[in-house]
Every structure is written in C-alpha cells, then in structure tokens.
Amino acid sequence: MEFDLKTIEALAPDQASLSAASRLTKQSNWPRLEKSEQLALLWGECQGSGSNPYRVVVDTGDHGYKCTCPSRKFPCKHTLALMWIAATTPASFAAAGSTPEWVNDWLGRRRKTSPQPTGPAPGAGGKSIGEISLDDESTVVEDAAAVERREAAQRKRTQDTQSAVSAALDELDQWIADQLRLGLAGFVDNSSDRCRRIAARLVDMKATALAGRIDEIPSRLMGLRSEERPDAAIRELGKLVLLAKAWRSTPGDAELRRLVSTSENREQVLANPEAIQVESIWEVLGEKIETRRDGLVSHSTWLLNLKSASPQFALLLDYFPASAGRRSNAFTSGDRFDARLVFYPARQPLRALMTDRKGDVPSGEWPDFGFDAGDPLAAHVAHQDTAPWLTDCPVMLPPGAILLDDRGAAWWQATGDPHGIALPIADTVNPTLLGLDLTATAALWNGSRLDLLAAQSRFGRLDLS
Amino acid sequence: MNEIEQTGLATMRDSWITGGTSFDLAPAAWKEIAGGASLDERERRLLAIAAQALDIALRPAAPKTLKRRPVLPELALPMLPERLRPLLRAALKHAGDTRSKTRVVSLVASRGFVLHPMDWMPAVSDQNGPDVYAPWIDWQAGADGEKHTRQEKLTAENWDDFYPAARRTALADMRRTAPASARQLIETKGSGEPAEIRLALIELMRFGLGADDVPFLKSLSADRSGKVRELAGRLLARLGEHGQLGDGGPEDPTAELAAFIAEGKSGFIRRRTTYTPAKLKSPAQERRRAELFETCNLVDLATRFGTTESEFIGAWQFGAENDADILVARMVAASGSEAAVTHMADTLVAEGGKPALFVLHLMPRLDNRRKRVLVRLILKDTQYLGALNLAESLEASWLEWADLTNGQTLPMLRSAVAGNDDAVKRGVDQLLETMGFLATAATAEKLIGDVVVAGMAPAAPSLGLLRLNASLAEP
C-alpha cells in the first residue's frame, strides 16, 4: 500500500476536502482505476459534475499529482479520493499494460523530483525534463550570436542588480543608523511601519530577500515579552549590518545573494558543482507553514539525517502566494525515506532540494548522537561563527524536559542541567509533554525562543511541530 | 564575554534604547574594532558586535520558579503499535463526543493496549474510561510525586499513598472480591474525607452490595452531607431496606408519588392488579411527578401499595405513557433491588418490542449476559436499532457475525447504505460506530466488507472504528 490515511490527511488542504473526498471513494464514481507498479503511478477517471470525467494521476513515489478539475484546492477532492481508494482498497486498481496519453503528457511536463541521471537519449519516445532542456540547448547552439547577446544582457542585468542592491544596502545602513539615533524603544513600538517602509524601498532596489526578512522583524519582536524586545532588536539589526557587510565583500557569493536579493532556481542548484549531495535515510522532523507580510506563504520542511553520527539537518523550503490557499504537504511528520538531497551552497548548508526519493523506511529511534554535558546551543554557536547573519538554527538538544515557570510559560531544560540554563519555548505546549522525559529534542533556536519540531521519549517519537 | 564587556554591553544597550551614540560606552576591545570610521558606521559596527555577543555569549538563565511536573506514569498495558496509530487517530477524530471517544479507548483496552498519551489523555473527571488509565487521571489531577505501586494492596495504612483515581480503582476491585474489607476501609477512612470524596467512596459500595453492608449504610443516615445520606438511602433500598417511612400525609413524598399512580384491576376471570400513570393536568404536575420518581425509592413505593417490588413492576402497565415508563425504569435502576432489576429486564426483554427498550435504563445494573441479550434482541428486531447508540455500560468486542445475521440487521444496513436517504444514512453511520465498539475483530472485518459491497465508500469515516477494530488482534 503506497498511501496510508495519515498521509492523505496530511495532504488534504482542509477538512471539507477530506469530507468531499470520502464521498467520492465509492467505486461507482470511478469508471476507470488503473495503476502501473513499474512507474509507481495510479490514475483514474472520476465522473464529476462536468460533462467529461476528471482525470486524476498520482505518483505514489513522491505524492505528485494532477487533476483536470478546475478546483483551486490542491490536492483536490478527486486526487484525495484516488489516494484514499489506494490506501483502503488497493485491489480496486487494475494493472495497466501501458499508460494513457494524458498520463504520459503529465509525466512529460511535470517537474520531476527524481534525478535525470545522464539525460535521455535524443529522440526517445516519452518526454522528460532532461529531454526538454536538451532541446533548448540544441536550439541555442544554432545561434551563437543570440547566445552572446543573451549572455551580455545577463551580465548587464547582473551588474545592474548588484548596483541596485549595493545602493539598497547603503540605504539600509542609513536606516539602521537612524533607528539607533532615534532610539530602539521607538523602533520597537513602531517597528511595523518602519520596517514596512524600508522593506518597500529594498524591494524597489532589488534586495527582495532582505526586504522579506525585514518585513518579518516586527512579528518576531512581538512574539517576545516587552522587556526582551530591545535585545531582540539589537540582534535583528546587528545581523542585518553583518549581512550587508558580507555581501559587499563578496557580492557574487551564492549564499549571500540568496539572502539579499534572489535565490537561484532548482536547475542552477542541481548544476552547481559546489552543491553538496547527501544520500541517506532522512526523517521528516516537522513542517512550519507561515504566512508572511509580503503575501507569500513559506513552507519549511525540516529533515534529519539518520545516518549521520552528529545531527545533520536539511530544510526543504517553498514559497507560494497566500492567495493560492494551502499548498499540499508532500510529507507527514515522522516519515522516513531513503533519498538524495542536494544542498544549496552555503557556509552552513541547510536548504536543500530532494532529487531522488527511493523508498520509505520503517520508523524507529534516532541515532545516538553522543550528547555531552556541554552547551546545548553549541550547534547554534557553530552556525553563528561561520554565518553570523543567520537567525534560525536547528539544534538537537540532549536529554531534558519541558518545565513551566510561574507565568505558565514553557522552558526546555537539560536533565541535571549544570549551567543554570533553560531555553524558553515559543508556543504553548501540550500539557502531556510536561510529564515526559525527552531523550532528544529537535528544535529551531532563533536566539530568543525554541521552536520544537520533534522529540524522542520512552513513549517513542513525539511530533511537536 | 568578560565582565567589562558585559557591563559595556548593558550601558550601550541602554543608550541605544533611548537613542544616541554608544561608542564612548563600548569596551576598549570593541572600540578598537569599531573605530576609524564615521560616527554612523562606528555605531553599526558596535551594533553588529553586540548582536553577535548577545547571540553566542549569553544564555537564557533558568528562572527560579521553573517547576517540573512528575513523570507521566507508565500504564499496565502496552502502547498501541505505531502502525495502528493513524487508524486510531482517524477513529478518535470521527468520535464526536467524550462518550464516543471513551468507546474507542475502551475497545483498544479490551484488546490489551493503551493509547499514546499524545493521542488521548483521560480527563480528571473521567470515571467511564478503562481502569488502566487511573494513574494518568491522577497525573492529570496534579498528583505531584510517585506514590502508589500498582501491585500494592490498598490498606488503611497505605491509604494516603494512593492517589484518588488509583484508590477508586483499587476499592472497586476489592468490593468485587472482598466486599467486607473494602467496606471497612471506606468506613474507617471515608469519614475523614470531604463530602465529595466521601460520596464517591460510598458510590463504590454498589459493587458487591449485600446484606452485610446494611448496618454501615444505615449509619450514614447521620452523615453531614445530604447527598451521602440520599445515596446511602438508595443503596439501602436496593437491599430492600425501607427509608424513613412517612406518615402517608401530604408531606410524605412516597404518598404524593403514589397519588400520581392509578391502581386498577384487569382480567375477567383472574382479576389482576394493575398500575398505570394517573392522568396529569398540568406541566407543573409532570415536573413534580418526575422529581418524586427521582427522590423516592422503589421499595417504599411498592410498600405504599401493599405489594413487593417485583409485583409492582409486574403490574405496571408499560406502554400506557412513555414518560412515566421512563421514570419507572430510572427509579428501578436507581433504587430497585437486584431481584427487581433482573425481573424487570427479563420480563420486558421477553415481551420484546418497544417495552424492551426501557431496559436500556437498567444497563448499569445488569450483568453482561443480560446486556448482550438485550443488544441481540434489538439487533434481531431491527425496529429500534437507533436505541443501541444510547446503550450505556456495554462491554466492548463481543458481538459475533451470527448476531448480525440472526435477523434483518444486515439487509436493513445494506438497503440503507444503497439508498439515498441522508437521515437514514446518518443513522447507519452511528450504528456502524456502535458496531465498531461491540464487534469482534472478525465481525468488524466482515461487516466492513458487507457494507462496502452494498455501496458504502470504503474510506467512509464512519467505518473508522470498525477498521481499527479489525486491525487489532484479539488478545
């Protein structure tokens, strides 16, 4: 069985979709249900409200899907219903000798997550991304002058962008100095307006990523108690200074460009020889979906490398417009799979792309990371030493527990903590968690608060995200 | 970060909060790094250093008020296997109310597993869930340390070493096996407890209630709490002991209740006494009659009519007025003797049809055999299948496939599933949920197959509990 109800539940955009899907799981709604085990595909035709049946295809390997219905929900009820039938009555799918044209068409157009090892042979029957890119290249080679023109235009655009970003950082520097002169008390109180204004200027000057980050400062400050906000403001603005300085020293640096202006696309990352590739067993620690002030939703999926002797994390990050509704989750917290990840080049590689997901792996305990009684935030310090502009850092905390203070706020503290250290937790916690000894805890530390992802305990894995 | 740097950072921080330059306040080492630049640039450099210092050199100090909850106790049964947790969560999600959730939990417990604490935790007030969760109820109630051990026998000496829920479970067990010892404990230790706990302790006397308990229960007529006195009176009534008989005057509630009941005769050859509800004239009378049925005991009422409990029940004309029938059934459940309860259950079940449904009110007092007989009757009859959803105190996981095929239940279910009547389908959903609780794993599996063939969506949420049931191996 490729799907289970847990996965379908996680994929569903909302309860209404699940309910609607459950009504569509009657086989009478599906005149055609077929599968190709070889291609790890399921497809079917669902008789919906339209004249033509809706065609649904689902890739059981990476949970990719396509439905021809006009719904703006992703996945739609038809897709969910198909998965649901696969989870509950897999025998309903007849083995097909060949895939229909519309399935082939989708396969050819979709952005596959599996790698294209050497590129398909020219003239091969089925379409693929590799073939498309080869086609593009062949077109380009025919017109060297056009290539030259395009490359020149690209160079000019890069130079223009760098000039614009440089000017943007000058403006940011001035703005930071102004905040210090006017007083951080006033900045904290008016951070929303002030950050919005400078962020708008930065967007105009092509420092888009930096603008998005500054736009989020107010909400980060407001998440803290009032007495903590000035220190947090110092940290936020100080990191911006560091980032601006780093960019000026190496404006071509991929990591810094990503943090200041724009990120490279998937193909660029995959083509970058400096991009580290790690093939391992990964566990989905948790997901964070946040709507940003700029109208984008950031969808972060945090992974843990289960073959690494020391904790290695990876972040799968997507942005999509808030107006598109909730994007489907590709994973469920706790999922384990064998996959190859390609990391975006960085001083502390975290953000990654999944290029090859081979198969699911049974759940179990995390590796023994050999915790010592040292600083629980040592990993954070290491990140800050090499990339001091980073805000959030994933950490694997040693054995500990969640405690409450007299205000009812939750804190994580190491078992037998010798340092008098406790880390405040960002959100309220499930009260049951207060009674559990956590043998290891994966979390994000942002300098002020701990955002819990998952933990191990004698009750097994705990999903905390 | 050394002390000078810490002091410097604190003064710089204060300066930036109010607004102004901080260069002169910075530690010498920091000045060296930040110097040689414009005024603004110096401030920015110091800001960068300060940010980094705050991030890596300082750690949040643990507040002195931090308090650790006691460790959540492990339960006597193993945790539900990980692979079944998605099914469980689906079943819990579909279970709308506490009662339905308790059924899910009870089914899992009947198969020898407990739930993961992050999936479900009993409420502090939970008294209907499986006993195995008593340690978690005590934990929820704020118990602040390890006290009891499960294996330990409850005695007067270790009474205080048990938390309330664990003590309740231990006492209930003891009442079933050694009722006199349990009674002595309740008698000895209960008097020192507050009224609320005393009431809960006396309530446990219903387990293994016998004639030996009479002197103790009678002694409770002097209890400080009215509720305790009332409960003791009911328990005494169950043993056939009369409460304080009134004088039959207008102040005597039993006499007042008797006035709401008409005594008559029926039969031409063998004249038999009958009791029917007297015709009421106003809603006020209805309310008063309901109050009286709740506060009076069956034995006293029967005595008022000069008859026995069983004779009174035998002569009551079920079917004459539904509300009155329900009140009588509740009265029997609350204060009837064991003989009266079983007599009423057996008589009405034998009669079948609608009157048998009044036995549902007696469920908490019935033994499992009689409960099963009633459920089988309702299933066979099919006319009142919806009543099954109201049945309390049922045990999980016993209903066999033959119980469903021994009547029209399955054909009725199939036809409802295949039909288009939404109201009927909602009823089917509820029934399937109840079946999910009652059925054996094999029955559950067969039932899923049957209704899916009949046209029910295989992934229908109402099949959730049946699916969980079918996936749980019998212990």
Side-chain angles (χ1 to χ4, degrees):
Chain A
M1 186 187 294
E2 295 89 348
F3 287 100
D4 56 27
L5 296 179
K6 192 172 138 192
T7 307
I8 296 164
E9 198 177 62
L11 282 168
D14 53 32
Q15 186 58 41
S17 296
L18 272 179
S19 305
S22 81
R23 287 192 287 274
L24 286 173
T25 51
K26 273 188 192 175
Q27 289 187 22
S28 56
N29 288 315
W30 295 86
R32 183 176 189 181
L33 284 172
E34 288 178 346
K35 66 179 174 184
S36 165
E37 283 181 354
Q38 198 182 1
L39 295 174
L41 285 177
L42 300 170
W43 62 87
E45 292 180 351
C46 180
Q47 191 59 54
S49 53
S51 306
N52 294 303
Y54 294 133
R55 289 169 162 172
V56 190
V57 56
V58 172
D59 185 329
T60 59
D62 61 9
H63 299 173
Y65 56 82
K66 171 70 182 169
C67 178
T68 56
C69 81
S71 170
R72 283 178 60 83
K73 290 185 176 179
F74 303 101
C76 64
K77 59 184 176 183
H78 312 103
T79 309
L80 290 170
L82 187 87
M83 294 172 174
W84 209 321
I85 295 169
T88 51
T89 51
S92 311
F93 290 82
S98 61
T99 49
E101 188 55 38
W102 57 275
V103 174
N104 284 333
D105 186 41
W106 175 70
L107 284 175
R109 283 186 290 106
R110 71 181 296 222
R111 298 175 70 184
K112 264 291 241 181
T113 52
S114 56
Q116 308 301 317
T118 54
K127 285 186 178 179
S128 70
I129 290 170
E131 216 169 50
I132 291 163
S133 58
L134 271 181
D135 286 347
D136 289 344
E137 279 169 24
S138 61
T139 312
V140 167
V141 168
E142 284 169 10
D143 189 353
V147 171
E148 178 58 34
R149 276 199 303 278
R150 199 174 62 248
E151 284 179 351
Q154 176 67 36
R155 279 196 299 275
K156 183 166 185 319
R157 273 201 303 274
T158 306
Q159 278 174 355
D160 288 350
T161 302
Q162 277 195 9
S163 303
V165 169
S166 180
L169 294 182
D170 289 346
E171 202 156 314
L172 175 69
D173 272 351
Q174 189 55 54
W175 178 80
I176 292 171
D178 290 346
Q179 305 315 309
L180 294 177
R181 205 170 18 254
L182 293 167
L184 291 180
F187 170 73
V188 167
D189 289 345
N190 298 307
S191 61
S192 186
D193 288 345
R194 292 190 192 181
C195 289
R196 190 75 276 251
R197 276 199 294 273
I198 186 67
R201 286 290 300 146
L202 294 178
V203 168
D204 292 345
M205 300 166 87
K206 300 189 177 176
T208 318
L210 195 54
R213 174 172 171 164
I214 292 173
D215 245 344
E216 294 309 304
I217 290 178
S219 68
R220 292 166 75 96
L221 295 181
M222 290 309 122
L224 302 173
R225 291 203 299 268
S226 56
E227 64 268 27
E228 297 174 282
R229 289 174 194 162
D231 278 354
I234 290 172
R235 275 202 309 272
E236 294 285 352
L237 298 181
K239 283 177 185 295
L240 294 180
V241 172
L242 286 164
L243 179 57
K245 287 189 183 308
W247 186 89
R248 281 201 188 91
S249 65
T250 48
D253 182 276
E255 177 187 9
L256 298 168
R257 193 172 58 238
R258 203 178 305 134
L259 292 169
V260 171
S261 51
T262 54
S263 178
E264 57 271 59
N265 62 30
R266 181 185 177 89
E267 286 68 35
Q268 287 169 323
V269 174
L270 296 180
N272 190 336
E274 290 175 19
I276 300 167
Q277 300 198 15
V278 180
E279 188 172 338
S280 186
I281 308 287
W282 300 89
E283 177 177 310
V284 178
L285 290 173
E287 291 186 313
K288 299 282 174 191
I289 298 174
E290 289 165 351
T291 304
R292 309 190 328 163
R293 281 181 89 195
D294 57 10
L296 290 177
V297 173
S298 72
H299 182 167
S300 316
T301 304
W302 287 93
L303 307 177
L304 176 68
N305 183 350
L306 297 172
K307 282 187 178 173
S308 173
S310 59
Q312 184 191 17
F313 299 90
L315 167 64
L316 306 179
L317 180 61
D318 281 318
Y319 294 102
F320 56 94
S323 58
R326 191 182 157 207
R327 176 92 157 264
S328 58
N329 295 5
F331 308 104
T332 305
S333 185
D335 278 355
R336 288 181 169 200
F337 43 77
D338 186 352
R340 179 198 302 273
L341 298 192
V342 178
F343 285 81
Y344 284 69
R347 287 155 187 80
Q348 292 285 344
L350 267 183
R351 190 177 171 186
L353 295 169
M354 190 178 295
T355 59
D356 188 9
R357 182 175 167 181
K358 289 173 183 165
D360 291 343
V361 175
S363 59
E365 293 194 356
W366 291 342
D368 180 7
F369 293 118
F371 295 113
D372 57 27
D375 182 4
L377 292 178
H380 172 68
V381 172
H383 272 69
Q384 292 297 319
D385 276 349
T386 49
W389 44 81
L390 293 179
T391 50
D392 289 5
C393 169
V395 289
M396 182 61 75
L397 300 170
I402 310 295
L403 299 84
L404 292 183
D405 65 16
D406 53 345
R407 301 187 206 198
W411 299 66
W412 174 91
Q413 190 170 39
T415 304
D417 165 60
H419 311 293
I421 297 172
L423 306 178
I425 293 170
D427 298 310
T428 52
V429 296
N430 182 331
T432 303
L433 200 54
L434 302 172
L436 304 182
D437 283 323
L438 309 178
T439 51
T441 304
L444 302 175
W445 175 249
N446 67 6
S448 306
R449 290 287 186 275
L450 206 57
D451 207 348
L452 302 178
L453 291 170
Q456 289 282 347
S457 72
R458 69 191 161 98
F459 289 101
R461 185 186 185 282
L462 308 172
D463 178 19
L464 307 177
S465 64
Chain B
M1 196 159 49
N2 59 39
E3 202 170 321
I4 295 171
E5 286 174 324
Q6 283 193 31
T7 311
L9 177 60
T11 52
M12 289 163 66
R13 176 182 172 277
D14 291 345
S15 165
W16 280 329
I17 288 173
T18 52
T21 58
S22 63
F23 186 75
D24 294 338
L25 307 169
W30 295 16
K31 275 184 185 171
E32 204 173 312
I33 300 168
S38 70
L39 191 68
D40 282 351
E41 178 59 17
R42 284 192 326 212
E43 291 300 312
R44 281 194 295 268
R45 289 178 182 178
L46 286 175
L47 183 72
I49 297 169
Q52 186 73 345
L54 283 170
D55 227 1
I56 64 170
L58 298 181
R59 291 285 174 275
K64 289 193 169 57
T65 55
L66 278 188
K67 198 173 174 195
R68 174 80 212 268
R69 286 291 319 270
V71 173
L72 187 71
E74 265 191 77
L75 302 182
L77 294 177
M79 202 72 63
L80 186 72
E82 189 66 28
R83 68 186 167 82
L84 296 177
R85 283 179 69 192
L87 274 175
L88 167 87
R89 285 195 283 258
L92 277 178
K93 199 170 178 180
H94 183 65
D97 52 16
T98 309
R99 181 170 166 267
S100 305
K101 287 186 197 303
T102 303
R103 281 186 169 184
V104 178
V105 175
S106 301
L107 171 73
V108 174
S110 76
R111 302 287 170 85
F113 296 106
V114 287
L115 272 52
H116 192 286
M118 297 292 270
D119 289 337
W120 180 84
M121 279 292 277
V124 176
S125 57
D126 195 340
Q127 294 200 352
N128 298 319
D131 288 346
V132 69
Y133 289 99
W136 284 4
I137 294 175
D138 284 328
W139 185 86
Q140 290 273 66
D144 56 1
E146 287 290 333
K147 277 194 168 185
H148 58 91
T149 55
R150 271 188 304 275
Q151 295 77 11
E152 216 172 330
K153 191 186 169 200
L154 180 67
T155 62
E157 287 70 40
N158 67 13
W159 178 270
D160 293 328
D161 295 340
F162 280 65
Y163 288 122
R167 196 187 291 149
R168 186 181 175 283
T169 308
L171 272 174
D173 284 346
M174 206 188 287
R175 277 294 294 174
R176 291 186 187 102
T177 53
S181 307
R183 184 185 64 245
Q184 278 165 8
L185 267 178
I186 293 171
E187 200 170 353
T188 314
K189 304 300 292 186
S191 58
E193 298 286 354
E196 197 182 331
I197 294 178
R198 223 161 51 241
L199 186 70
L201 289 175
I202 306 302
E203 205 270 334
L204 295 174
M205 294 287 293
R206 70 188 161 93
F207 297 109
L209 189 67
D212 291 350
D213 298 322
V214 170
F216 169 58
L217 291 172
K218 279 188 172 170
S219 73
L220 293 172
S221 63
D223 194 277
R224 302 183 295 282
S225 161
K227 284 184 180 174
V228 170
R229 290 198 299 272
E230 192 180 319
L231 176 61
R234 286 191 183 286
L235 292 171
L236 279 169
R238 290 186 189 184
L239 294 169
E241 294 287 329
H242 294 283
Q244 288 181 335
L245 283 176
D247 54 6
E251 297 298 311
D252 179 6
T254 309
E256 192 183 352
L257 175 59
F260 282 111
I261 297 167
E263 188 173 359
K265 295 284 180 188
S266 74
F268 290 107
I269 300 163
R270 284 187 63 187
R271 300 287 283 167
R272 288 186 295 112
T273 304
T274 59
Y275 298 105
T276 49
K279 197 159 186 182
L280 301 178
K281 293 173 183 165
S282 67
Q285 278 193 329
E286 276 179 38
R287 282 196 295 276
R288 180 60 185 154
R289 184 181 69 178
E291 280 171 19
L292 289 167
F293 264 114
E294 257 183 49
T295 51
C296 293
N297 294 331
L298 176 65
V299 65
D300 296 335
L301 184 64
T303 306
R304 178 64 55 194
F305 285 105
T307 184
T308 65
E309 291 176 83
S310 294
E311 282 169 357
F312 177 82
I313 290 164
W316 179 265
Q317 300 300 294
F318 282 100
E321 188 203 319
N322 192 55
D323 287 351
D325 291 345
I326 291 171
L327 291 170
V328 167
R330 284 185 186 161
M331 179 192 235
V332 174
S335 65
S337 63
E338 291 302 318
V341 169
T342 51
H343 175 69
M344 176 173 163
D346 294 345
T347 307
L348 295 184
V349 166
E351 196 173 329
K354 193 178 175 189
L357 300 184
F358 296 119
V359 180
L360 288 170
H361 295 281
L362 306 180
M363 289 299 251
R365 299 280 309 272
L366 294 181
D367 55 80
N368 285 331
R369 186 189 65 79
R370 284 189 168 84
K371 287 177 189 170
R372 290 183 184 193
V373 167
L374 177 64
V375 170
R376 287 187 180 116
L377 176 73
I378 295 172
L379 284 172
K380 192 176 176 186
D381 207 18
T382 70
Q383 213 179 340
Y384 303 103
L385 279 176
L388 269 188
N389 301 322
L390 306 172
E392 298 287 351
S393 309
L394 288 172
E395 56 173 344
S397 191
W398 57 269
L399 196 74
E400 298 289 352
W401 186 244
D403 296 325
L404 292 175
T405 52
N406 182 29
Q408 289 303 305
T409 306
L410 279 181
M412 193 285 301
L413 269 175
R414 288 174 197 140
S415 125
V417 165
N420 290 318
D421 188 330
D422 284 346
V424 172
K425 287 191 171 193
R426 276 196 295 277
V428 168
D429 286 349
Q430 285 187 339
L431 187 62
L432 289 174
E433 206 181 321
T434 305
M435 295 291 120
F437 169 70
L438 295 175
T440 61
T443 308
E445 191 159 5
K446 279 186 180 173
L447 186 55
I448 293 168
D450 205 85
V451 291
V452 167
V453 167
M456 174 159 271
S462 50
L463 293 178
L465 191 53
L466 279 167
R467 287 199 184 287
L468 175 66
N469 186 329
S471 307
L472 279 164
E474 303 280 353

